[in-house]
Amino acid sequence: EDQVTQSPEALRLQEGESSSLNCSYTVSGLRGLFWYRQDPGKGPEFLFTLYSAGEEKEKERLKATLTKKESFLHITAPKPEDSATYLCAVKGQGAQKLVFGQGTRLTINP
Amino acid sequence: EAGVVQSPRYKIIEKKQPVAFWCNPISGHNTLYWYLQNLGQGPELLIRYENEEAVDDSQLPKDRFSAERLKGVDSTLKIQPAELGDSAVYLCASSQRDKNTEAFFGQGTRLTVV
């Protein structure tokens, strides 16, 4: 069964303090790894899709990387508006459903 | 392009009452998902549709939950009767079929059962 574990559960940073969020996964044949951002009271907002080990994607202050066992979401010089819960999900061979981790709640203090 | 639309945004009902949620997916998206999200947790799949066919409903509590997707577009998720433990956010998402592409989510319906 596909599984996703995210760490840490919560992370508090000062504005400008770079860090990384981790997503560890087990899946039978990765078809895609997805990062979402979720603000309170809203649905998840799509950020990135990664398909194979070594792949990287960037968007503003965010950079997602992928290995055969985990993915990292690197946040460079974050701003308070980057505060949100970041969700990681995988889609495995033979399954079209997204399996989510529990998320990392990120808080950026000004 | 319009995103996934869900209604209502909020619903408060008494236990044992019925409730229904509605979802309109992104135009052209054949795959539709209903997810359940408890506070502080990631979304969990309830049911997945390919066009009008439910292809994965293994996590749907069929004694009280039902869903339909008439004409392969809009979908309705129903709970009857609701229990206190059903209080959660119900998310609808859609994606293109047969592609390893991302799913796009609606804003969700927050259900409170009292």
Side-chain angles (χ1 to χ4, degrees):
Chain A
E1 185 174 323
D2 302 343
Q3 288 189 320
V4 177
T5 303
Q6 292 187 246
S7 62
E9 289 189 8
L11 181 62
R12 189 178 293 270
L13 301 172
Q14 290 298 122
E15 183 173 1
E17 180 184 2
S18 301
S19 188
S20 298
L21 312 182
N22 177 262
C23 170
S24 296
Y25 65 90
T26 56
V27 64
S28 55
L30 181 69
R31 297 183 66 177
L33 184 140
F34 306 85
W35 281 99
Y36 287 83
R37 169 189 172 130
Q38 187 172 29
D39 292 299
K42 297 192 175 182
E45 175 189 348
F46 170 73
L47 292 173
F48 304 109
T49 306
L50 300 168
Y51 294 107
S52 57
E55 190 175 359
E56 299 182 351
K57 293 274 181 75
E58 285 189 68
K59 180 180 180 180
E60 297 182 355
R61 295 176 292 281
L62 300 176
K63 179 181 177 180
T65 62
L66 180 65
T67 72
K68 289 185 178 180
K69 294 183 178 180
E70 56 191 352
S71 176
F72 291 93
L73 185 64
H74 306 279
I75 302 176
T76 302
K79 298 181 178 181
E81 53 262 42
D82 294 322
S83 297
T85 295
Y86 290 84
L87 295 164
C88 173
V90 296
K91 185 182 290 186
Q93 288 288 350
Q96 282 285 340
K97 69 178 182 181
L98 293 171
V99 176
F100 282 86
Q102 78 277 21
T104 293
R105 188 172 66 255
L106 177 66
T107 304
I108 308 299
N109 295 318
Chain B
E1 178 181 299
V4 177
V5 179
Q6 291 188 246
S7 68
R9 287 295 315 278
Y10 307 92
K11 190 73 176 179
I12 301 175
I13 62 170
E14 294 183 345
K15 61 181 180 182
K16 300 184 181 180
Q17 294 302 304
V19 65
F21 314 125
W22 175 81
C23 173
N24 179 242
I26 293 173
S27 177
H29 282 191
N30 303 92
T31 304
L32 184 146
Y33 312 80
W34 283 102
Y35 279 86
L36 166 73
Q37 187 174 28
N38 288 303
L39 189 64
Q41 300 296 314
E44 299 174 34
L45 182 71
L46 288 172
I47 189 168
R48 174 170 66 89
Y49 282 93
E50 295 292 346
N51 296 311
E52 65 276 8
E53 182 182 2
V55 295
D56 184 354
D57 63 355
S58 57
Q59 302 302 311
L60 189 73
K62 298 180 182 65
D63 57 335
R64 297 184 300 107
F65 286 65
S66 64
E68 62 181 8
R69 190 183 184 196
L70 299 177
K71 300 181 181 179
V73 181
D74 295 359
S75 178
T76 303
L77 178 68
K78 299 179 182 178
I79 308 175
Q80 183 171 10
E83 297 180 352
L84 296 177
D86 296 331
S87 296
V89 175
Y90 292 82
L91 293 164
C92 180
S94 70
S95 67
Q96 293 182 318
R97 183 182 179 182
D98 294 332
K99 290 181 181 292
N100 298 329
T101 56
E102 59 278 2
F104 293 91
F105 285 80
Q107 297 283 50
T109 295
R110 179 176 296 278
L111 174 67
T112 302
V113 183
V114 297

